[in-house]
Structures are given as C-alpha cells and as structure tokens.
Amino acid sequence: MTLLLATFYQILQMLLVLALAPLLTGWVRLVKARLVGRRGPSMAQPYRDLLRLLRKEVVLARNASWLFRAVPYMMFTAIWLAAGLVPVFTTQLALAPTADLIALIALLGSARFFLALAGMDTGTSFGGIGSSREMMIAALAEPAMLMIVFSVAILVRSTSLAEIADFMLSGAVGLRISLALALIALVMVAIAENARIPIDNPATHLELTMVHEAMVLEYSGRHLALVEAASMLKMLLYMALIACVFAPWGMATAGSGVAAALGGVAVFVAKLAVGGTLLALFETSIAKMRVFRVGEFLGGALLLSLLGAIFLYVSRGV
C-alpha cells in the first residue's frame, strides 16, 4: 500500500510540474506587465504558444545532424525528470531514494551540454555565440551550485532531498547565517541558470545580448515547443528546489495522509505565486548587466556559498 501511494504521488507530481510550469511563466509575465503599467498577456498564453508550436511544421537546416533533432527530446526528458525528483508537496515519492542533489545537478548539466551542442551543430554564428556564453555561465554557476550542496550536506549529513526537507521541517535547524548565505547564492545561480535579468533577457532577440535564445534560433515547430517547455520546467524546478530546501513548510511527510498531501499541493501553488511575484519585482527593478560582468555576479554566488560551507564546517566542528 505504501509503495502504491508513493507511486501515485510520484505520477501526480510529474503531471503537476508539467501543468504548472507554463502557468508560472504566464504569472511572471503578467505581474511584470502590471508593474510597468501594461495590461499584459493572459496567464494561459504560454499554453497557447506551446500548442501553436506543436501544430506547426518542423523546418530543419540542411546541415543539421541527428543530434540537432534529438536534443529537444533529451533536454525535455532530463529536465522533466529532474523536476520530478524535487519533492514539492510530499516527501513520500517513489523516486525519493534517487532524489539526490548531485543527481539533480548532473541532469541539469546534461541538458545544458546537449543544448550547447545543438546550438553549434548547424554552424551558425548566433548558435556558436550562445553556446560559448552558456558554457561560460555554466563554468561559473556549477561550482557555486556544488558548494551550496556541500553547505546543506554538512548540516544534514545527506544530499537526499527528502531527508533535507524532513530535517528542515523537524525544527532542529534553527536560524543560521550560513543557510542564509546559501539561500542567496542559490537564488543568484537560479537567475543565471534560467537566463533571467540581469544575466539575460528572455524577451530579447538582440544579437549582442542573447544567450539562451541564440542557441534555439534554428528550432521550430514541435522541437521549439519542447525546448520552451523545458525552459519553463527549469524555472519551476529551481523555485521548487528553493522551497524544498529552505522553505518546506506545508509539505506532507512520512505517515501523513492524502489530505495532508493535497494541502501540500495548495501550499506549493501558493509558494510558486509568491516566488513568481518576487522574480517579477526583481526583474523590473534592475537592468541587464553586460556579458563580461556575469563572472562577477556568479563569482559572488560562489563566494557566498563557500562562506556558508566554511561557517557550517566550523560551527559543527567536523
């Protein structure tokens, strides 16, 4: 019975993140539009965009290889699986034993690697520029992400997301400056990984500023729909990760009933609404930085995560 319930929760989570990812993107766009005095698009517009792209014909470059056609499917699968590993409303998931932070970073890194290869596959200048910039950001963001993992692992003695959430809910953690530093670093990494302002502007198509959009310019039809859906899932994944590690309140734990899990779903939706609002407020209050300053931004994230790990290491006396 426990295994069946865990399997049901896992399937529900996979469908939930898939359904909520476009809604989160639509919410962020709507809030940003209202903050600058515009009416803005409907929250359902990302769903319409994805359906429109799925109905369109795929146009491929003549020199595109099999890798270019396969990358959207591999990227979407890896990010969807990663989103399914992060507990969002309950820790009783069938994939909880494999829901490890290191595995999560590996899945995200694999998706990024294949997308960068696809950007260079057709040989266009924009694709090469976007791929090179993406790898530069990844080279700075991944060490910071690993240091955040080490900071949490030093405290919890585990990198399992379910165990981390249970530990944070136990109340034994208290208030720690080191966790605050890790939280700020994770937010900075999430902004960079999702190509948000001030690192990148997802709404621009200017040649000199594009990062993510430059790599996907050659995609169309269902391939572009999968890439866009993967990007939406990735933003939801990072918000879910922040909520799971640093704000797991309202999440159902082992021994909780179905009612607690359904309550966890409602709390998770509320967390996404708050996270999307904060993201929109941040993006409308800051300007995009130059590409050459991205290193300083992510260097700050690495420094904060390193300080957090050092503080935890010293305080625990390990």
Side-chain angles (χ1 to χ4, degrees):
M1 184 63 182
T2 304
L3 180 59
L4 289 176
L5 189 61
T7 304
F8 169 74
Y9 285 155
Q10 186 66 67
I11 295 174
L12 177 62
Q13 171 158 330
M14 297 295 288
L15 297 176
L16 184 67
V17 296
L18 190 61
L20 290 180
L23 188 65
L24 175 61
T25 300
W27 171 249
V28 173
R29 292 175 181 173
L30 178 62
V31 175
K32 287 181 65 176
R34 294 296 173 85
L35 287 174
V36 297
R38 294 187 289 108
R39 181 179 178 182
S42 168
M43 289 175 57
Q45 188 60 43
Y47 296 101
R48 301 190 189 104
D49 293 339
L50 292 177
L51 290 175
R52 173 177 53 83
L53 288 173
L54 287 172
R55 290 194 296 264
K56 283 191 172 183
E57 181 183 359
V58 175
V59 179
L60 293 173
R62 293 182 179 179
N63 56 342
S65 68
W66 64 269
L67 180 66
F68 185 82
R69 295 187 292 270
V71 162
Y73 300 96
M74 294 188 293
M75 178 184 175
F76 177 80
T77 303
I79 295 180
W80 189 20
L81 177 59
L85 292 179
V86 181
V88 298
F89 65 91
T90 180
T91 57
Q92 304 176 75
L93 298 174
L95 295 179
T98 61
D100 187 271
L101 280 170
I102 304 297
L104 193 70
I105 295 174
L107 286 170
L108 293 174
S110 299
R112 181 193 303 110
F113 171 72
F114 285 116
L115 182 61
L117 285 182
M120 297 185 294
D121 185 74
T122 55
T124 61
S125 57
F126 289 162
I129 290 173
S131 297
S132 63
R133 290 175 176 175
E134 181 71 12
M135 289 297 101
M136 178 195 70
I137 293 173
L140 298 169
E142 287 187 358
M145 190 68 181
L146 287 173
M147 290 308 304
I148 295 168
V149 172
F150 295 152
S151 300
V152 177
I154 290 172
L155 178 64
V156 186
R157 306 283 185 170
S158 173
T159 56
S160 170
L161 284 166
E163 294 184 15
I164 291 171
D166 288 334
F167 181 84
M168 295 297 181
L169 285 170
S170 67
V173 60
L175 295 176
R176 294 176 180 267
I177 296 178
S178 52
L179 287 181
L181 295 176
L183 172 59
I184 297 172
L186 181 55
V187 170
M188 295 172 71
V189 170
I191 290 172
E193 290 279 14
N194 286 279
R196 309 297 303 191
I197 297 173
I199 302 301
D200 190 17
N201 187 355
T204 186
H205 285 83
L206 296 176
E207 295 88 346
L208 297 178
T209 61
M210 288 189 298
V211 179
H212 176 267
E213 293 296 324
M215 293 185 291
V216 301
L217 277 178
E218 296 297 319
Y219 279 115
S220 60
R222 64 178 181 276
H223 293 163
L224 182 57
L226 287 172
V227 172
E228 293 294 333
S231 299
M232 296 175 187
L233 276 170
K234 192 175 183 181
M235 184 167 69
L236 182 140
L237 184 155
Y238 272 95
M239 286 196 182
L241 181 62
I242 293 171
C244 173
V245 176
F246 297 100
W249 308 293
M251 190 181 299
T253 56
S256 302
V258 178
L262 294 178
V265 173
V267 173
F268 175 64
V269 173
K271 290 177 183 177
L272 289 181
V274 173
T277 303
L278 293 176
L279 176 62
L281 283 170
F282 177 77
E283 289 191 337
T284 52
S285 61
I286 193 170
K288 183 184 179 302
M289 65 176 58
R290 296 176 60 195
V291 175
F292 299 107
R293 294 191 61 190
V294 173
E296 300 175 8
F297 182 85
L298 290 175
L302 177 59
L303 179 60
L304 290 174
S305 59
L306 181 60
L307 287 174
I310 292 174
F311 289 163
L312 277 173
Y313 186 89
V314 172
S315 64
R316 292 187 65 92
V318 293

